[in-house]
Amino acid sequence: MSAMPIVLPSNRDENWRYANLRGLARARFEPAPAPEATQLGDIAGRLPAALPGYARLVLVDGHHVAALSTALPDVNITHDVDAQEKSGADQRFANLNRRFRQGTCRIAVPAQAALALEVLCVATASSHPALDITLGDGAKLQLIERQLSARGDDSTLVNLHLAARVGEHAQFELARIGHHGAKAQALDTLELQLDVGASMKLVQVIEGALASRSTAFVEHVGREASLEWYVAALGEGTQHHDAFVHVTHAAPGARTLQCFRGIATGRSRVAFNGHMRVEAAALGTQTDQSLKCLLAGAEAEADVRPQLEIYTDAVKASHGATVGKLDADMLFYLLSRSIPPATAESLLKWAFVSDVLAKLPSPELRSQVAAALERQLPGAATRAWS
Amino acid sequence: MSQNAEIQNAEIHDVIGRGYQHGFVTDIESESLPPGLDEDVVRAISRIKREPAFLTEWRLRAFRHWKTLSEPVWAHVHVNPIDYQDISYYSAPKTKKDGPKSLEEVDPKLLETYEKLGVPLHERARLAGVAVDAVFDSVSVATTFKDRLEKAGVIFCPFSDAVQRHPELLEQHLGSVVPYTDNFYACLNSAVFSDGSFVYIPKGVRCPMELSTYFRINAAKTGQFERTLIVADEGSHVSYLEGCTAPMRDENQLHAAVVELIAMADAQIKYSTVQNWYPGDENGVGGIYNFVTKRGECRGRNSRISWTQVETGSAITWKYPSCVLRGDNSVGEFYSVALANHRQQADTGTKMIHIGANTRSTIVSKGISAGRGQNTYRGLVKILPTATGARNFTQCDSLLMGAGCGAHTFPYVEVKNPSATVEHEASTSRISEDQLFYCLQRGISEEDAVNMIVNGFCKSVFKELPMEFAVEAQNLLAVSLEGSVG
Amino acid sequence: MLVIKDLHAKVGDRKVLDGLNLEVPAGEVHAIMGPNGSGKSTLAYTLAGRPGYEVTAGSVSYQGRDLLALAPEERAQAGLFLGFQYPVEIPGVNNVYLLKAALNAARKHRGEAEVDAFEFLTLVREKMKVMQMDEAFLSRGVNEGFSGGEKKRNEILQMLVLEPSLALLDETDSGLDIDALKVVANGVNTLRSPTRAIVLVTHYQRLLDYIQPDRVHVLARGRIIRSGGPELARELEARGYDWVLNEAA
């Protein structure tokens, strides 16, 4: 194992202003060993019900567990150590992943082929799952990536790295759900490239975990690629969720739509930083960002940064951001229809994040996510989504 | 020449004549301190201005702090290195030798601009730096209306006069909104500021007229460091206008001003700026570095501070007129038009810091990028836990005119009180081809159509300007955009 | 006044006009009718010189000049007026200001002096009466926040002030209730004169109840497939477009 010092970003780094890095200073990043065969039964019992139509891949602490996974020709586990570290504050967690990963899970969907796959990243201690995804031209991948804590005191650490190259006219749908324990630390770095005419849709639900931080870099490399990016973050207690998405439009005719819905209750904090860069070559690019936060706790906090960096005049870019409380008129309307206050509040919160939740790909996944949110939004899912 | 200026000149001769032990070149001809900056220069400035000890000490503290700071590095701004030892930190009011002797010697391009702006002939000469009488021109404005202002109890005078006549007010308020520790340029300004204006509006007084100042930089290799302090006591009102211009020079000149506004309970301050410092030429040679710190504090309940700015000049503009909303129910406003053409870089915006309950702020920013200009809006809306019921609305639009230009929007929204409401909207696009064609179909030339549409785009800001400034601002936009159509 | 010969035009890669011939003499009102997508609006935009509407063949002569050689603003200055189907909103630009700039551009082109502000306002107020428009209109931005009907009235008001030689009115009747339609028609009728020509582009016969055309043309598949007198419009109203299309096919 490497004895190199571990360098973390700090809040002074521009893209990390709103991240909660306190708990990480003392965190143990060295990965847990591969699970014993005797543990697998217990782990299997914690996994969510299988989703119809989806193959399954299970990584425990970053180690591929064949016994719990579907065997697939398009998936290979490699143990190369050639992952090059990159410079800059935004790459520090990715570099830790590169250093500590226990093999790289390579998913290559051949041209014109289609694959629906669920990847479950289970953590019992510290883990550094690594996914390397390639979509051939015209390929279609529906990927659901979920993270679970499987440890009594929930103090797990997941530091995921996901790289994807979406080939020409390929379609990549990625749903990401965290089912973390209350003391968990969740970190991830995504690096995505879109070729000519490629389309990518991400739907991410962030809840659970004491502190989470998502870092994503997306690049429209080929012309007329399209990107949709939906993120919902629900913070409660003293949780702290921070997401940063940097989208580079480097080719003509790019389209990006970004939608963030954050709810902070209690003393929690949600933050979203979406940076759109449009390079001179990206003529005819269109971007739109809609970032909304709901504050529903006496000491809750929200930070939003919709950023535009534009170097061509042939562009249409817009963004809207709001931070506020529940709409008093809507609340009153529901109360006047004899809905109890707690349910009314819950329903409105559900409606607030449903712009994102409704984009989740499979009905079974939607109901599993709804069940996971039941504690935070009691009664809402069954009423709004039955 | 005013009596004050004469005294100051005599002082310079006196100071310089004595000769400096620390490497000063004695140059009586230039009537200014030679380039360079150390504690003796700071002391010399203070001595020339016959400042009381508290101010000299304050300057020195600022200077000592400044030496510990390093220049800020900005991600989206390219700055040629500034040699702070190559700047003269004091230029006497009389520097006729520097300027052109008559209008014939002035660059015809500059005169053409004045013509288009409708600046009267005698004004043109003055603005072009022909008949230089004072670095700072508010004196004449002030004297014209001196009687009326005095009757109302309003103090409006050059900063150096205020040092002599109202030291207690300065000691109380100077640096209370922008401390010298604030940032690199504000700190430098605190050490070496040359002059500026001071305004005090007594309790319950509505200032009987708009107060205005025209700034300009004349001498070469001179930094300009004005300091403006406006105090509006309880229940008072004032509207203050600031115009800026500078002759063309092919080296960059530094302008690092500090403006502090203080609004007590129920007081209102409206501060309007039309900034047209020399922007450099089409290739980005020359132009003013406009690194300015402007901040107002709504100190009392129900107070209001409103910033309106039209920024068309300068090679680089770096300014964020801000409001600290401390008093309950206080209101902060920021209306801005910023234009970056050719190689100009404008990095401007505001900070609205909500501290008091039910504080409100409005931000309207209109950025225009043309040629290879880079225009950045950078703004912070911060709602602190004490700011119950705070509200902000931000509208931030950018217009792009030219394949090589850039428009950047970097807002920060930080909310720490759940009862607050913050809304931010922004859009970036080219001039709509539909709008353009509609105007052309009505027989209007493309250039006129573009001016019309751009002015329409800026209207919500222009309407905040006093009438005569609004007209100047519109003309200024048209002139600044010339040649960028098509 | 207007002579169009074998006009071919495309929008992007789409060929829309395909050998269109049309002649509109001074003093006449012509109606161009046709089903949706037949090229009616394209014809109007092409004549007005809208960027993106590319003429690939044919000629257009206007008052004996080559219209296609002129820039859009030159066509307007020479007296060609397009009443837009969807008038554009220009926020922050005052209605009256635009109108005055337009009138002065045309006057300058004709070698006339600019109108003074008072004279101009008197003129606009008089025309506003014809169009039954509210005084408040004077202080609003160009079409900013106007209802569909207000926008159409504004188009005709502009036309009345600018007094063009050739007016092309693109679907001016769409979206109007019957009262507004009468006002708009009345406005158009006041402009009729032996020295002017008016081309009404419309989908329905309704407008022609109030503005009597001298000639009616059916435009389909990018060319005029039938021309006739006012009775043709009534026949189209009664029988639909299909019979003409079938006969022409």
Side-chain angles (χ1 to χ4, degrees), chain B residues 305-321:
Chain B
I305 288 178
S306 178
W307 297 101
T308 306
Q309 61 173 27
V310 177
E311 304 280 325
T312 57
S314 299
I316 301 176
T317 295
W318 174 91
K319 62 180 276 201
Y320 313 93

PDB file of all heavy atoms in Angstrom, chain B residues 305-321:
ATOM      1  N   ILE B 305     -29.763  52.065   0.470  1.00  0.00           N
ATOM      2  CA  ILE B 305     -28.626  52.469  -0.359  1.00  0.00           C
ATOM      3  C   ILE B 305     -28.825  51.874  -1.737  1.00  0.00           C
ATOM      4  O   ILE B 305     -29.110  50.681  -1.897  1.00  0.00           O
ATOM      5  CB  ILE B 305     -27.287  52.000   0.246  1.00  0.00           C
ATOM      6  CG1 ILE B 305     -26.974  52.835   1.486  1.00  0.00           C
ATOM      7  CG2 ILE B 305     -26.164  52.138  -0.779  1.00  0.00           C
ATOM      8  CD1 ILE B 305     -25.707  52.436   2.206  1.00  0.00           C
ATOM      9  N   SER B 306     -28.696  52.722  -2.731  1.00  0.00           N
ATOM     10  CA  SER B 306     -28.929  52.284  -4.097  1.00  0.00           C
ATOM     11  C   SER B 306     -27.721  52.641  -4.954  1.00  0.00           C
ATOM     12  O   SER B 306     -27.325  53.796  -5.022  1.00  0.00           O
ATOM     13  CB  SER B 306     -30.188  53.001  -4.598  1.00  0.00           C
ATOM     14  OG  SER B 306     -30.433  52.647  -5.914  1.00  0.00           O
ATOM     15  N   TRP B 307     -27.135  51.638  -5.569  1.00  0.00           N
ATOM     16  CA  TRP B 307     -26.011  51.859  -6.482  1.00  0.00           C
ATOM     17  C   TRP B 307     -26.527  51.725  -7.916  1.00  0.00           C
ATOM     18  O   TRP B 307     -27.166  50.732  -8.236  1.00  0.00           O
ATOM     19  CB  TRP B 307     -24.936  50.790  -6.306  1.00  0.00           C
ATOM     20  CG  TRP B 307     -24.253  50.717  -4.981  1.00  0.00           C
ATOM     21  CD1 TRP B 307     -24.515  49.823  -3.990  1.00  0.00           C
ATOM     22  CD2 TRP B 307     -23.151  51.511  -4.517  1.00  0.00           C
ATOM     23  NE1 TRP B 307     -23.651  50.014  -2.932  1.00  0.00           N
ATOM     24  CE2 TRP B 307     -22.806  51.042  -3.231  1.00  0.00           C
ATOM     25  CE3 TRP B 307     -22.426  52.578  -5.071  1.00  0.00           C
ATOM     26  CZ2 TRP B 307     -21.773  51.597  -2.484  1.00  0.00           C
ATOM     27  CZ3 TRP B 307     -21.397  53.123  -4.324  1.00  0.00           C
ATOM     28  CH2 TRP B 307     -21.080  52.643  -3.048  1.00  0.00           C
ATOM     29  N   THR B 308     -26.212  52.689  -8.746  1.00  0.00           N
ATOM     30  CA  THR B 308     -26.497  52.534 -10.170  1.00  0.00           C
ATOM     31  C   THR B 308     -25.200  52.813 -10.914  1.00  0.00           C
ATOM     32  O   THR B 308     -24.551  53.826 -10.641  1.00  0.00           O
ATOM     33  CB  THR B 308     -27.584  53.522 -10.640  1.00  0.00           C
ATOM     34  OG1 THR B 308     -28.719  53.365  -9.804  1.00  0.00           O
ATOM     35  CG2 THR B 308     -27.983  53.241 -12.074  1.00  0.00           C
ATOM     36  N   GLN B 309     -24.829  51.950 -11.801  1.00  0.00           N
ATOM     37  CA  GLN B 309     -23.576  52.189 -12.512  1.00  0.00           C
ATOM     38  C   GLN B 309     -23.696  51.860 -13.988  1.00  0.00           C
ATOM     39  O   GLN B 309     -24.385  50.928 -14.379  1.00  0.00           O
ATOM     40  CB  GLN B 309     -22.436  51.372 -11.887  1.00  0.00           C
ATOM     41  CG  GLN B 309     -22.646  49.867 -11.938  1.00  0.00           C
ATOM     42  CD  GLN B 309     -21.414  49.093 -11.455  1.00  0.00           C
ATOM     43  OE1 GLN B 309     -20.631  49.593 -10.668  1.00  0.00           O
ATOM     44  NE2 GLN B 309     -21.245  47.868 -11.945  1.00  0.00           N
ATOM     45  N   VAL B 310     -23.045  52.675 -14.788  1.00  0.00           N
ATOM     46  CA  VAL B 310     -22.908  52.387 -16.211  1.00  0.00           C
ATOM     47  C   VAL B 310     -21.410  52.373 -16.469  1.00  0.00           C
ATOM     48  O   VAL B 310     -20.738  53.395 -16.366  1.00  0.00           O
ATOM     49  CB  VAL B 310     -23.611  53.450 -17.069  1.00  0.00           C
ATOM     50  CG1 VAL B 310     -23.391  53.175 -18.550  1.00  0.00           C
ATOM     51  CG2 VAL B 310     -25.103  53.475 -16.753  1.00  0.00           C
ATOM     52  N   GLU B 311     -20.902  51.197 -16.742  1.00  0.00           N
ATOM     53  CA  GLU B 311     -19.458  51.016 -16.863  1.00  0.00           C
ATOM     54  C   GLU B 311     -19.133  50.726 -18.322  1.00  0.00           C
ATOM     55  O   GLU B 311     -19.341  49.620 -18.790  1.00  0.00           O
ATOM     56  CB  GLU B 311     -19.004  49.828 -15.998  1.00  0.00           C
ATOM     57  CG  GLU B 311     -19.385  49.930 -14.530  1.00  0.00           C
ATOM     58  CD  GLU B 311     -18.456  50.838 -13.749  1.00  0.00           C
ATOM     59  OE1 GLU B 311     -17.246  50.847 -14.066  1.00  0.00           O
ATOM     60  OE2 GLU B 311     -18.936  51.545 -12.846  1.00  0.00           O
ATOM     61  N   THR B 312     -18.651  51.730 -19.037  1.00  0.00           N
ATOM     62  CA  THR B 312     -18.315  51.480 -20.443  1.00  0.00           C
ATOM     63  C   THR B 312     -16.817  51.588 -20.687  1.00  0.00           C
ATOM     64  O   THR B 312     -16.341  51.154 -21.710  1.00  0.00           O
ATOM     65  CB  THR B 312     -19.008  52.492 -21.378  1.00  0.00           C
ATOM     66  OG1 THR B 312     -18.633  53.803 -20.971  1.00  0.00           O
ATOM     67  CG2 THR B 312     -20.521  52.351 -21.304  1.00  0.00           C
ATOM     68  N   GLY B 313     -16.099  52.182 -19.774  1.00  0.00           N
ATOM     69  CA  GLY B 313     -14.681  52.434 -20.008  1.00  0.00           C
ATOM     70  C   GLY B 313     -13.775  51.464 -19.289  1.00  0.00           C
ATOM     71  O   GLY B 313     -14.223  50.424 -18.818  1.00  0.00           O
ATOM     72  N   SER B 314     -12.491  51.817 -19.198  1.00  0.00           N
ATOM     73  CA  SER B 314     -11.433  51.072 -18.532  1.00  0.00           C
ATOM     74  C   SER B 314     -11.022  49.813 -19.296  1.00  0.00           C
ATOM     75  O   SER B 314     -11.838  49.147 -19.906  1.00  0.00           O
ATOM     76  CB  SER B 314     -11.827  50.628 -17.112  1.00  0.00           C
ATOM     77  OG  SER B 314     -12.093  51.736 -16.315  1.00  0.00           O
ATOM     78  N   ALA B 315      -9.715  49.541 -19.252  1.00  0.00           N
ATOM     79  CA  ALA B 315      -9.221  48.294 -19.825  1.00  0.00           C
ATOM     80  C   ALA B 315      -9.715  47.142 -18.968  1.00  0.00           C
ATOM     81  O   ALA B 315     -10.163  46.116 -19.473  1.00  0.00           O
ATOM     82  CB  ALA B 315      -7.699  48.310 -19.873  1.00  0.00           C
ATOM     83  N   ILE B 316      -9.607  47.316 -17.661  1.00  0.00           N
ATOM     84  CA  ILE B 316     -10.110  46.309 -16.734  1.00  0.00           C
ATOM     85  C   ILE B 316     -10.941  47.019 -15.670  1.00  0.00           C
ATOM     86  O   ILE B 316     -10.498  47.995 -15.076  1.00  0.00           O
ATOM     87  CB  ILE B 316      -8.968  45.549 -16.029  1.00  0.00           C
ATOM     88  CG1 ILE B 316      -8.069  44.863 -17.059  1.00  0.00           C
ATOM     89  CG2 ILE B 316      -9.540  44.514 -15.057  1.00  0.00           C
ATOM     90  CD1 ILE B 316      -6.861  44.185 -16.446  1.00  0.00           C
ATOM     91  N   THR B 317     -12.124  46.541 -15.462  1.00  0.00           N
ATOM     92  CA  THR B 317     -12.933  47.051 -14.361  1.00  0.00           C
ATOM     93  C   THR B 317     -13.104  45.918 -13.367  1.00  0.00           C
ATOM     94  O   THR B 317     -13.440  44.794 -13.737  1.00  0.00           O
ATOM     95  CB  THR B 317     -14.315  47.507 -14.873  1.00  0.00           C
ATOM     96  OG1 THR B 317     -14.126  48.614 -15.742  1.00  0.00           O
ATOM     97  CG2 THR B 317     -15.210  47.924 -13.721  1.00  0.00           C
ATOM     98  N   TRP B 318     -12.849  46.244 -12.130  1.00  0.00           N
ATOM     99  CA  TRP B 318     -12.979  45.263 -11.064  1.00  0.00           C
ATOM    100  C   TRP B 318     -13.648  45.994  -9.926  1.00  0.00           C
ATOM    101  O   TRP B 318     -13.033  46.771  -9.229  1.00  0.00           O
ATOM    102  CB  TRP B 318     -11.579  44.779 -10.681  1.00  0.00           C
ATOM    103  CG  TRP B 318     -11.477  43.869  -9.500  1.00  0.00           C
ATOM    104  CD1 TRP B 318     -11.524  42.502  -9.520  1.00  0.00           C
ATOM    105  CD2 TRP B 318     -11.275  44.244  -8.126  1.00  0.00           C
ATOM    106  NE1 TRP B 318     -11.393  42.020  -8.247  1.00  0.00           N
ATOM    107  CE2 TRP B 318     -11.240  43.040  -7.379  1.00  0.00           C
ATOM    108  CE3 TRP B 318     -11.142  45.453  -7.460  1.00  0.00           C
ATOM    109  CZ2 TRP B 318     -11.074  43.043  -5.991  1.00  0.00           C
ATOM    110  CZ3 TRP B 318     -10.974  45.449  -6.076  1.00  0.00           C
ATOM    111  CH2 TRP B 318     -10.935  44.245  -5.360  1.00  0.00           C
ATOM    112  N   LYS B 319     -14.932  45.866  -9.812  1.00  0.00           N
ATOM    113  CA  LYS B 319     -15.622  46.582  -8.741  1.00  0.00           C
ATOM    114  C   LYS B 319     -16.943  45.922  -8.412  1.00  0.00           C
ATOM    115  O   LYS B 319     -17.630  45.424  -9.294  1.00  0.00           O
ATOM    116  CB  LYS B 319     -15.813  48.056  -9.098  1.00  0.00           C
ATOM    117  CG  LYS B 319     -16.660  48.300 -10.312  1.00  0.00           C
ATOM    118  CD  LYS B 319     -16.808  49.792 -10.600  1.00  0.00           C
ATOM    119  CE  LYS B 319     -17.925  50.418  -9.798  1.00  0.00           C
ATOM    120  NZ  LYS B 319     -18.403  51.678 -10.409  1.00  0.00           N
ATOM    121  N   TYR B 320     -17.250  45.926  -7.150  1.00  0.00           N
ATOM    122  CA  TYR B 320     -18.454  45.263  -6.656  1.00  0.00           C
ATOM    123  C   TYR B 320     -19.140  46.154  -5.630  1.00  0.00           C
ATOM    124  O   TYR B 320     -19.023  45.918  -4.431  1.00  0.00           O
ATOM    125  CB  TYR B 320     -18.087  43.895  -6.035  1.00  0.00           C
ATOM    126  CG  TYR B 320     -17.153  43.112  -6.921  1.00  0.00           C
ATOM    127  CD1 TYR B 320     -15.772  43.189  -6.742  1.00  0.00           C
ATOM    128  CD2 TYR B 320     -17.650  42.376  -7.980  1.00  0.00           C
ATOM    129  CE1 TYR B 320     -14.906  42.531  -7.594  1.00  0.00           C
ATOM    130  CE2 TYR B 320     -16.797  41.712  -8.840  1.00  0.00           C
ATOM    131  CZ  TYR B 320     -15.427  41.794  -8.646  1.00  0.00           C
ATOM    132  OH  TYR B 320     -14.580  41.156  -9.498  1.00  0.00           O
ATOM    133  N   PRO B 321     -19.821  47.179  -6.109  1.00  0.00           N
ATOM    134  CA  PRO B 321     -20.485  48.077  -5.147  1.00  0.00           C
ATOM    135  C   PRO B 321     -21.480  47.258  -4.305  1.00  0.00           C
ATOM    136  O   PRO B 321     -22.364  46.616  -4.852  1.00  0.00           O
ATOM    137  CB  PRO B 321     -21.215  49.083  -6.045  1.00  0.00           C
ATOM    138  CG  PRO B 321     -20.482  49.026  -7.348  1.00  0.00           C
ATOM    139  CD  PRO B 321     -20.054  47.596  -7.487  1.00  0.00           C
TER     140      PRO B 321
END
